[in-house]
Amino acid sequence: MSRADRRRQAAAAAARAPATDAAGLAARIRAAKLPGTPPELAERARKALAAFVESAAARGVPVAEIARHMADGRAAATIAHVEREQATARGQDPAKGAACAAGCAFCCILPGQDGGTITAHEAERLHAALAPLAGQPDGRAWHPNACPALDPDSRMCRAYEARPLICRSYHSADAAACEANAAGEPAPGARLAGAHLTYLAAHGLARAALGPRGRVETFALREVARAAIEGQDAETARAAARHAPSALDAERRRSGRAWKAARGRG
Ligand code: SF4
Ligand code: SF4
């Protein structure tokens, strides 16, 4: 084997090994590739995730715990939360002007089998909030494709405090457009807040930085809610809802294309 091959092998082995300190973790985030995400979005997520690591380390959080929060999605959710707060402070609250109101739940009629990409921490919280309601009538008694977390009569989310970021990020200026969308007729009006795109990019970067041992997983919202409401325990729910690794990349790329298209129109 040539010296160059040995160097490449050593670099690959170093990339696979867990980072032993926060500086090493931040360096990996800065070096991580995120193909398919527009560079501006990727850079925003990269800076925010590296800052998350450095700030946690400065507060004395052990590197293993920081890595755990990157893997289970708490880091990505924190980043999105901060971005949204900053937007609101600038007078750019993404919910401003939205028609959203309690009991208006066309957005909880979920497309396909998946219903939305959520992280391990979100799956855990959603399951814990719904498990005590197992066996009660759920949103599907109102509409066959409604989220099982929905109350079929009041059409309120029964896991409101634990709802994932995708639910918190979705707004619309026109409830009638949401009703049309739920019926499969495309209509403008609904949008995902920009912070959601940063969250997807940050979770993708966490996966790239932590490597295969990091177990940065995603789950199907609808399946977690269904399993919890049908009385399955958290581990069974996770197994039923676990995404293939490609799902996060596909979601990131889809969102990136939509973001670019929206900017092109703006
Ligand atoms: S996103 Fe649409 S359906 Fe959901 S609460 Fe807002 S207006 Fe209603
Ligand atoms: S978790 Fe709650 S807000 Fe999210 S889709 Fe289900 S019912 Fe709607």
Side-chain angles (χ1 to χ4, degrees):
M1 185 188 294
S2 72
R3 193 178 292 179
D5 284 343
R6 277 200 296 275
R7 268 203 304 272
R8 269 195 291 278
Q9 261 193 5
R16 283 194 301 272
T20 52
D21 60 22
L25 203 45
R28 283 180 186 214
I29 292 165
R30 292 195 179 96
K33 305 259 184 294
L34 208 56
T37 289
E40 187 184 330
L41 263 181
E43 277 322 294
R44 195 159 79 203
R46 192 185 305 283
K47 275 189 195 150
L49 190 57
F52 174 91
V53 169
E54 284 159 353
S55 142
R59 284 182 277 111
V61 181
V63 67
E65 192 175 329
I66 299 173
R68 198 160 54 247
H69 287 192
M70 285 169 60
D72 70 14
R74 272 178 275 194
T78 301
I79 286 165
H81 182 68
V82 169
E83 184 175 318
R84 184 163 179 158
E85 279 193 335
Q86 289 171 342
T88 302
R90 291 194 304 271
Q92 297 167 344
D93 180 356
K96 201 168 160 185
C100 303
C104 178
F106 300 113
C107 54
C108 300
I109 297 173
L110 304 174
Q113 286 302 307
D114 193 274
T117 295
I118 64 175
T119 63
H121 188 240
E122 289 176 323
E124 186 184 318
R125 293 191 69 215
L126 186 62
H127 184 278
L130 294 175
L133 308 176
Q136 293 185 13
D138 65 71
R140 292 170 293 180
W142 165 55
H143 188 288
N145 292 331
C147 177
L150 200 68
D151 183 298
D153 299 320
S154 68
R155 296 182 198 167
M156 306 271 277
C157 176
R158 294 180 295 168
Y160 192 75
E161 293 304 321
R163 71 199 191 287
L165 192 80
I166 190 167
C167 308
R168 297 168 190 262
S169 303
Y170 200 80
H171 307 289
S172 175
D174 182 1
C178 296
E179 186 172 9
N181 286 333
E185 297 157 20
R191 65 184 184 282
L192 270 172
H196 190 73
L197 308 183
T198 315
Y199 151 98
L200 290 173
H203 209 47
L205 282 170
R207 176 182 282 173
L210 293 174
R213 291 188 196 188
R215 294 185 62 81
V216 178
E217 298 180 308
T218 60
F219 299 84
L221 187 166
R222 180 204 291 281
E223 273 299 288
V224 174
R226 180 205 56 76
I229 272 311
E230 292 179 3
Q232 293 176 359
D233 63 34
E235 192 45 52
T236 308
R238 264 199 304 276
R242 182 171 284 117
H243 277 157
S246 57
L248 173 61
D249 296 334
E251 178 71 9
R252 215 170 34 68
R253 288 171 193 272
R254 214 172 17 250
S255 303
R257 282 195 298 273
W259 182 80
K260 276 206 312 211
R263 279 171 74 97
R265 283 194 299 274

